[in-house]
């Protein structure tokens, strides 16, 4: 037997071999084999977005005036929170702020947060007034990641449960991207996370939209150490089927709807926190199916591009990620920043 990838050759005497009756899971466990698990994604914070740049005022400058204005500029505040200069947000995905932010600045930021909560709650009650015409205050809250007040996660989940009926957050179909992605960004408590994931899993996974339900599930699985514990094997199988479908829809296209498929796949691999032998090539058939769709995407990207500069750019970003995902499926992942690399490539 030859194993060129391992640089090894083996001689096996089949006539003298003893038959092994144990299931693969027991065999792997007995060998104490350690398989890789992608490191949890934490999007860092930094002072860059708080300070002024040549092109715009920083959050610290905005805090000097916005809390005292009667007509708060939620759009500008939201834009500042969602900016990522030098790869760092105002607030980390865990809800932390830079250590250099003073107590006075944080107090003024909390004033804005409370105003945004009041505006959003008025919308839910059907009351009018300035700031209740659009989702900008809600967006400002959702870009606080896990620092966002817990009420907002509950409001977003209530909105999802009310799907199909009129809701103040959903004035047009594009609003659902904010509802789902916002929930994926902010959900923090174990109880809220369990409810959010069950809401998604109880829906028709076959009908998920790539930048709504797939994105929200990918955010939670990739950013939380608890999320994987809410999944049963049946859930993993259904999500793997969804992941394959999200890959498949991009093959032959321009990969403009590919942002969250690698995220969801890497997040699923983190189910090894529950079952260490899950999604391992040669052990779990699901891993073989996922490997096959990755290789199809690789072959497609390598064969195409031509003069399409956008596709060339996506190819250069995603091919290394697909290679790393294959290593993770083999249980031999060696890129500790895989999920951060996926985030950077997808622009999520």
């Amino acid at each position: 037997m030859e194993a060129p990838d391992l640089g090894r050759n083996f001689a096996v005497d089949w006539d003298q071999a003893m038959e092994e009756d144990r299931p693969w899971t027991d065999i792997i466990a007995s060998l104490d084999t350690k398989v890789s698990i992608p490191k949890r994604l934490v999007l860092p914070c930094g002072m860059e977005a708080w300070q002024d740049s040549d092109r715009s005022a920083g959050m610290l400058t905005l805090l000097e005036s916005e809390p005292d204005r009667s007509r708060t500029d939620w759009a500008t505040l939201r834009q500042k929170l969602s900016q990522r200069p030098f790869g760092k947000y105002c607030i980390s995905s865990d809800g932390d702020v830079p250590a250099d932010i003073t107590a006075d600045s944080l107090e003024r930021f909390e004033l804005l947060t409370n105003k945004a909560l009041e505006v959003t709650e008025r919308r839910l009650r059907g009351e009018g007034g300035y700031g209740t015409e659009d989702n900008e205050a809600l967006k400002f809250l959702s870009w606080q990641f896990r620092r966002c007040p817990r009420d907002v996660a509950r409001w977003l989940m209530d909105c999802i449960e009310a799907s199909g009926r009129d809701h103040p957050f959903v004035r047009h179909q594009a609003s659902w991207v904010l509802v789902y992605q916002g929930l994926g960004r902010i959900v923090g408590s174990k109880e809220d996370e369990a409810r959010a994931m069950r809401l998604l899993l109880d829906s028709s996974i076959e009908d998920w939209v790539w930048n709504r339900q797939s994105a929200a599930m990918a955010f939670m699985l990739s950013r939380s150490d608890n999320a994987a514990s809410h999944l049963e094997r049946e859930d993993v199988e259904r999500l793997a089927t969804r992941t394959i479908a999200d890959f498949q829809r991009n093959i032959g296209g321009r990969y403009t709807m590919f942002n969250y498929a690698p995220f969801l796949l890497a997040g699923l691999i983190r189910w090894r926190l529950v079952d260490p032998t899950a999604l391992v090539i040669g052990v779990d058939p699901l891993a073989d199916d996922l490997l096959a769709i990755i290789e199809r995407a690789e072959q497609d990207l390598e064969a195409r591009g031509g003069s399409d500069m956008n596709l060339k750019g996506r190819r250069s970003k995603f091919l290394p990620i697909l290679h790393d995902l294959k290593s993770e499926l083999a249980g031999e992942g060696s890129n500790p920043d895989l999920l951060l690399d996926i985030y950077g490539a997808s622009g999520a």
Side-chain angles (χ1 to χ4, degrees):
M1 299 178 63
E2 295 184 359
D5 289 346
L6 300 177
R8 299 283 302 277
N9 295 326
F10 302 88
V12 179
D13 187 339
W14 295 108
D15 293 330
Q16 297 297 318
M18 296 178 61
E19 185 175 351
E20 176 58 78
D21 295 325
R22 291 177 300 168
W24 270 110
T25 52
D26 291 351
I27 295 172
I28 296 295
S30 71
L31 296 174
D32 195 28
T33 301
K34 300 295 184 182
V35 297
S36 60
I37 300 176
K39 187 175 70 174
R40 182 175 74 90
L41 173 63
V42 179
L43 301 170
C45 61
M47 287 300 297
E48 290 82 358
W50 290 85
Q51 297 168 334
D52 295 348
S53 70
D54 293 338
R55 294 183 294 178
S56 64
M59 181 60 74
L60 290 175
T61 296
L62 295 174
L63 288 178
E64 294 175 5
S65 57
E66 289 299 328
D68 303 319
R69 292 181 57 183
S70 59
R71 298 175 68 86
T72 305
D73 187 352
W74 296 117
T76 296
L77 289 165
R78 179 270 305 167
Q79 184 181 40
K80 186 56 58 179
L81 284 183
S82 63
Q83 288 176 351
R84 191 173 170 241
F86 301 99
K88 297 178 181 179
Y89 289 104
C90 281
I91 301 173
S92 80
S93 56
D94 279 351
D96 299 322
V97 298
D100 292 338
I101 300 302
T102 65
D104 180 64
S105 294
L106 279 180
E107 183 178 350
R108 294 185 69 77
F109 187 84
E110 291 305 316
L111 287 174
L112 281 174
T113 298
N114 289 332
K115 288 180 69 174
L117 282 172
E118 292 171 7
V119 166
T120 306
E121 195 164 20
R122 286 205 306 270
R123 294 186 69 203
L124 289 171
R125 293 197 299 262
E127 299 176 9
Y130 178 74
T132 61
E133 301 86 2
D134 54 39
N135 281 329
E136 290 300 335
L138 177 60
K139 292 177 183 177
F140 167 76
L141 291 166
S142 79
W143 279 102
Q144 294 185 33
F145 297 101
R146 291 186 175 183
R147 193 179 189 87
C148 181
R150 188 175 174 184
D151 279 347
V152 182
R154 175 171 55 83
W155 294 338
L156 291 174
M157 287 187 281
D158 290 345
C159 177
I160 292 173
E161 286 189 330
S163 177
R165 298 190 293 274
D166 289 339
H167 193 283
F169 293 168
V170 186
R171 298 293 174 84
H172 42 76
Q173 284 300 305
S175 301
W176 285 114
V177 175
L178 167 62
V179 171
Y180 281 103
Q181 292 195 19
L183 178 61
R185 280 194 293 268
I186 69 175
V187 67
S189 74
K190 193 171 183 179
E191 295 80 8
D192 289 346
E193 193 173 67
R195 181 189 171 193
M197 293 185 70
R198 188 46 50 190
L199 269 176
L200 292 173
L201 292 167
D202 285 346
S203 67
S204 176
I205 292 181
E206 297 76 18
D207 298 326
W208 278 11
V209 180
W210 67 281
N211 61 352
R212 299 179 193 178
Q213 296 94 333
S214 290
M217 181 61 75
F219 287 179
M220 288 186 281
L221 288 174
S222 64
R223 300 178 188 183
S224 166
D225 279 332
N226 295 319
S229 67
H230 302 305
L231 297 179
E232 302 293 338
R233 173 67 189 191
E234 179 185 1
D235 300 323
V236 174
E237 292 173 356
R238 294 175 68 209
L239 290 171
T241 300
R242 178 69 262 168
T243 304
I244 291 170
D246 285 345
F247 266 76
Q248 178 62 51
R249 73 176 302 167
N250 287 277
I251 294 175
R254 301 181 65 202
Y255 289 80
T256 55
M257 296 179 286
F258 195 58
N259 295 16
Y260 307 106
F263 250 131
L264 188 53
L265 199 160
L268 272 180
I269 295 174
R270 284 177 51 77
W271 196 59
R272 289 176 184 164
L273 292 167
V274 176
D275 179 355
T277 64
L279 302 179
V280 178
I281 296 169
V283 178
D284 186 340
L286 276 182
D288 300 320
D289 294 340
L290 292 167
L291 175 63
I293 197 64
I294 290 175
E295 290 180 337
R296 286 191 59 195
E298 272 187 322
Q299 292 166 6
D300 184 53
L301 283 168
E302 288 171 348
R304 296 171 55 237
S307 60
D308 188 333
M309 298 305 296
N310 289 328
L311 181 55
K312 279 187 174 181
R314 295 186 190 100
R315 180 174 60 183
S316 65
K317 290 179 180 179
F318 282 119
L319 280 176
I321 286 168
L322 295 178
H323 179 270
D324 286 342
L325 284 172
K326 290 198 301 181
S327 296
E328 289 290 352
L329 286 174
E332 302 169 353
S334 59
N335 180 3
D337 297 319
L338 173 58
L339 280 163
L340 190 59
D341 289 347
I342 294 174
Y343 189 87
S346 65

